[in-house]
Amino acid sequence: MNHMNKRKLYKKNSEFSNIKLNSNIIGSNIIHLSHINSTMNYAWNLFEKNVDNNGTVIIADEQSEGRGRNGSIWYSEKSEDILCSIMLESRHKNLSELLIIASLAVVYTLEKILHNQNISIKWPNDVLVNQNKIAGVIAESSSKTFSNFSLAVVGIGLNVNLKCRGNIKLPINTTSIAEITDKKVSRLEIFELLLINFDLLFAKLNKNQDIISEWKKYLNSIGKRVSFNLKNSNDLQIGIVEDIDELGRLIIIDKEGKRRCLYDQTIRFID
């Protein structure tokens, strides 16, 4: 179904008013805000008021409490980047699957814009260009259900025109599309591509089509050393990533040669 006639934008003179989507679900409603504490928080508040918001996308020019994985702060500058959250009613309760399609959507978007660049994914949620971080994705779910669907929100932060060089608020290995191309980039163009790609991948996920194989092509994590804690233990373990399973979990060989399948917030890459 084409949702172009249903779309609403909650901001006057929005640069996204001319967005062109022929999506099945994603972007059925777009809420553009000048400033918000967090698009993720806004999305969950919207679910509280009206559960049926499948495909609604919230995009903000500025966030005061934007967050990344493990509660880290996501830094951006006003009206320079893509800071958005996508509201989903999904049969897929495994959040790793949503992280997979979100990171792939970012990769496919970057491939349309950037040429002859090394684009990769660092497990589980960072997208890199030439080993520098350009985007991050997160996913959260709720115990609430709607017509047998689980509620989830996927957050995407993509550095579009962010000035990274010499910015003491950012890690050294941070980049943006503008810094790679040496020119200011249209957020509208990037946002369109991102939502189109996410919609296509979400449709594949709902049809149980294979997405993990495509995702693994971009992963740079195989063969890397990691540290981790086992459940109910504070002892730090060291291992090597051997592979990724069908749910996006790391298969790690520990120092004793045991294979462990882990998807845990304590995992840290050493290499």
Side-chain angles (χ1 to χ4, degrees):
M1 182 185 296
N2 187 323
H3 292 285
M4 291 180 66
N5 294 327
K6 292 174 59 180
R7 192 163 297 112
K8 296 185 292 184
L9 292 109
Y10 294 172
K11 182 185 174 183
K12 290 182 179 180
N13 302 317
S14 170
E15 66 190 277
F16 304 115
S17 59
N18 294 321
I19 194 166
K20 296 177 181 178
L21 299 174
N22 289 301
S23 56
N24 292 313
I25 296 173
I26 308 304
S28 56
N29 187 29
I30 296 175
I31 300 172
H32 182 192
L33 304 167
S34 295
H35 179 88
I36 192 69
N37 60 355
S38 163
T39 58
M40 297 290 285
N41 292 346
Y42 190 97
W44 284 119
N45 289 336
L46 203 57
F47 264 141
E48 288 291 330
K49 295 175 183 177
N50 180 13
V51 175
D52 188 8
N53 275 292
N54 195 27
T56 292
V57 181
I58 299 98
I59 182 165
D61 293 333
E62 186 177 31
Q63 293 185 119
S64 58
E65 300 174 22
R67 61 182 181 270
R69 185 171 179 248
N70 297 339
S72 62
I73 301 299
W74 185 267
Y75 175 81
S76 183
E77 294 173 356
K78 188 173 183 179
S79 301
E80 297 291 2
D81 304 313
I82 299 297
L83 308 168
C84 71
S85 291
I86 302 171
M87 302 173 67
L88 299 170
E89 296 152 16
S90 174
R91 291 188 179 91
H92 298 267
K93 295 183 179 181
N94 193 315
L95 287 180
S96 64
E97 293 176 308
L98 297 179
L99 286 175
I100 287 169
I101 64 172
S103 56
L104 266 180
V106 172
V107 168
Y108 291 166
T109 298
L110 292 173
E111 286 184 330
K112 286 282 189 178
I113 303 297
L114 305 176
H115 305 287
N116 301 316
Q117 305 292 332
N118 178 20
I119 302 172
S120 61
I121 298 171
K122 179 182 177 182
W123 185 95
N125 65 330
D126 289 345
V127 179
L128 313 179
V129 178
N130 302 325
Q131 301 304 312
N132 296 315
K133 184 172 178 177
I134 196 169
V137 301
I138 59 174
E140 298 174 354
S141 63
S142 169
S143 58
K144 291 186 177 182
T145 59
F146 174 70
S147 299
N148 296 320
F149 286 79
S150 296
L151 305 182
V153 178
V154 174
I156 300 175
L158 173 56
N159 299 337
V160 179
N161 292 306
L162 184 66
K163 296 176 182 177
C164 305
R165 298 187 188 101
N167 191 329
I168 61 174
K169 296 181 180 180
L170 294 168
I172 295 175
N173 60 335
T174 304
T175 192
S176 67
I177 297 174
E179 294 222 333
I180 296 168
T181 60
D182 287 322
K183 62 181 180 181
K184 193 171 179 68
V185 183
S186 164
R187 284 201 304 166
L188 171 61
E189 179 184 3
I190 304 300
F191 192 46
E192 276 183 355
L193 286 171
L194 182 63
L195 297 190
I196 289 169
N197 286 320
F198 193 101
D199 186 74
L200 291 171
L201 288 161
F202 190 59
K204 285 186 177 182
L205 181 65
N206 286 331
K207 293 176 183 176
N208 295 316
Q209 295 180 9
D210 179 31
I211 55 171
I212 193 80
S213 298
E214 184 68 12
W215 182 66
K216 287 172 69 172
K217 292 178 184 177
Y218 294 94
L219 275 178
N220 67 1
S221 307
I222 307 298
K224 297 288 182 68
R225 288 198 310 151
V226 293
S227 64
F228 59 94
N229 293 106
L230 296 177
K231 192 174 183 180
N232 300 322
S233 172
N234 292 323
D235 293 336
L236 192 66
Q237 305 285 323
I238 302 294
I240 295 176
V241 179
E242 180 187 49
D243 202 354
I244 311 287
D245 75 0
E246 68 279 1
L247 294 178
R249 297 174 297 186
L250 293 183
I251 299 174
I252 298 171
I253 301 178
D254 66 17
K255 60 184 179 181
E256 296 177 354
K258 293 181 180 178
R259 282 184 174 83
R260 301 185 181 276
C261 190
L262 300 174
Y263 192 96
D264 191 275
Q265 292 182 344
T266 68
I267 295 172
R268 296 288 184 272
F269 284 89
I270 299 173
D271 297 334

